[in-house]
Amino acid sequence: MTLATATNEHLANISNTLVYSSMAVYTLAFFAYIAEWIFGSRSKVARTAAALTSGAEAATPAVTVKSAGGTAVLERPQVVTRSAAGARNVPDGPGAHGGDEQGDLYGRIAVSLTVVAWAVETAGVVARALSVQRAPWGNMYEFSVTFSTVAVTVYLAFLLARKDIRWLGLPLVTTVLLDLGLAVTVLYTASDQLVPALHSYWLYIHVSTAILCGAIFYVGAVGTLLYLFKDSYENKLAGGGRPGSFATSVMERLPSSASLDKFSYRVNAAVFPLWTFTIIAGAIWAGDAWGRYWGWDPKETWAFITWVAYACYLHARATAGWKGRKAAYIALIAFACFLFNYYGVNIFVSGKHSYAGV
């Protein structure tokens, strides 16, 4: 065994250790996010019910936190108007902490742990890259680890930009743990060099943009799913129904359905041009590697299907009668196409994009 080989194996072992370590820290962050939701005080149903049933514009309530010495203003949710038909003024919820000081403390701890886990996982990705001396996304294991890292990067970037999306923390960390668990148990592939067709600078361009698009599409999908739940909750209140205590506790803390709908649309619309570029870059790479730009390979086909699905979603958003829930269903179908393109095609379908086992 040469010194270079021994060094690469050592770096690969370090990478594996760092990935497992990040999973441990993500687990702590997961419990901290759970604590934020549990210890955060429940919002008042009457506030949203009044906003839904009143024809007048709802006042913006100040959210206060409880402390031994009195009260302190934590944040002031913005009143927004639903974009769907039958508009009604609904205030955004205060967040997972529910306006409670203890809940907010657990939320801040959760974010801090998420940052630590992200830093450790990023170091693991870098160590993997050094061990193989190439971009660390040559197989599904490397892609999955890098994907989860980028997804957390997008979340933290939103927080750094002072966007109030801490409600995304719990579903994000849960998904990251599932993704990493699948990567280290089912998808793991030892460090190895790439087949000749992948030795190209397009590996850095095409695959990196695909990972970034997937991470942002994921954020949009979570926002869309929560929008559907929140819209159903608001509709039930507007119709005089009484949601259960658990649904009330969760839904009252989330942004309004209008805010969630707008957030998801902006995220998906912003990344759609980059996904278009990803497909074009892949076609150019295919021309260099295989002598043809497009051959309806399963990976190419499903990438195009995903593009069409998101194009339909964006068109639906601009079409009268298709805004709101109908468009949201199309967005979720589009993200399901992206997931199948990654997991389903790679695992169950053979094609020119099948490399290194999984």
Side-chain angles (χ1 to χ4, degrees):
M1 179 183 295
T2 64
L3 178 60
T5 302
T7 301
N8 291 341
E9 289 186 0
H10 180 63
L11 287 171
N13 291 333
I14 291 176
S15 173
N16 295 340
T17 301
L18 289 172
V19 169
Y20 278 106
S21 299
S22 70
M23 293 177 65
V25 183
Y26 277 128
T27 302
L28 295 177
F30 169 80
F31 286 115
Y33 282 117
I34 289 289
E36 179 185 19
W37 282 94
I38 291 177
F39 290 98
S41 62
R42 294 181 179 179
S43 303
K44 300 297 183 182
V45 178
R47 189 178 70 215
T48 296
L52 289 168
T53 56
S54 174
E57 183 169 310
T60 302
V63 177
T64 58
V65 297
K66 298 177 289 185
S67 60
T71 59
V73 175
L74 183 64
E75 62 183 52
R76 188 178 296 273
Q78 179 183 5
V79 175
V80 297
T81 303
R82 298 178 71 248
S83 59
R88 52 184 182 247
N89 296 329
V90 181
D92 284 337
H97 52 74
D100 182 79
E101 189 177 46
Q102 187 178 22
D104 182 61
L105 174 61
Y106 280 112
R108 294 177 185 274
I109 293 173
V111 172
S112 299
L113 289 170
T114 303
V115 172
V116 173
W118 168 83
V120 174
E121 186 181 12
T122 301
V125 172
V126 173
R128 178 76 175 198
L130 294 175
S131 71
V132 293
Q133 299 179 1
R134 57 169 172 78
W137 44 71
N139 50 61
M140 285 189 68
Y141 167 75
E142 295 173 354
F143 189 102
S144 295
V145 174
T146 306
F147 174 82
S148 61
T149 305
V150 175
V152 177
T153 302
V154 172
Y155 168 67
L156 295 178
F158 273 113
L159 293 181
L160 191 62
R162 299 186 180 278
K163 302 297 182 181
D164 187 16
I165 64 163
R166 209 162 75 190
W167 45 266
L168 182 64
L170 181 58
L172 172 70
V173 169
T174 303
T175 306
V176 166
L177 284 172
L178 291 174
D179 177 67
L180 291 178
L182 182 64
V184 300
T185 56
V186 178
L187 304 177
Y188 181 76
T189 303
S191 299
D192 200 0
Q193 294 306 309
L194 299 174
V195 297
L198 295 182
H199 284 288
S200 171
Y201 59 88
W202 285 107
L203 175 67
Y204 295 87
I205 299 174
H206 171 65
V207 183
S208 63
T209 54
I211 292 173
L212 179 60
C213 288
I216 299 177
F217 279 145
Y218 164 78
V219 172
V222 173
T224 300
L225 187 62
L226 292 178
Y227 155 74
L228 291 173
F229 284 117
K230 187 63 182 280
D231 187 64
S232 296
Y233 173 79
E234 291 177 2
N235 288 335
K236 189 170 186 178
L237 282 180
R242 291 187 176 183
S245 58
F246 177 78
T248 298
S249 176
V250 173
M251 293 294 113
E252 280 289 299
R253 305 188 210 181
L254 292 176
S256 68
S257 62
S259 293
L260 290 169
D261 186 36
K262 183 184 297 183
F263 170 79
S264 302
Y265 168 68
R266 288 179 174 177
V267 166
N268 288 326
V271 76
F272 182 73
L274 187 60
W275 181 248
T276 303
F277 169 78
T278 301
I279 296 177
I280 295 173
I284 296 174
W285 187 10
D288 290 343
W290 302 317
R292 61 34 166 203
Y293 293 101
W294 195 268
W296 296 105
D297 182 76
K299 198 77 170 177
E300 298 168 348
T301 302
W302 276 96
F304 178 69
I305 291 174
T306 302
W307 185 91
V308 171
Y310 274 108
C312 290
Y313 163 71
L314 295 178
H315 179 71
R317 286 280 312 191
T319 304
W322 278 88
K323 293 182 179 180
R325 298 185 69 87
K326 291 181 179 179
Y329 291 137
I330 298 176
L332 291 180
I333 291 173
F335 185 67
C337 291
F338 176 87
L339 290 179
F340 180 78
N341 186 35
Y342 175 57
Y343 288 105
V345 172
N346 283 7
I347 295 175
F348 302 111
V349 182
S350 298
K352 284 184 173 294
H353 289 76
S354 301
Y355 297 114
V358 294

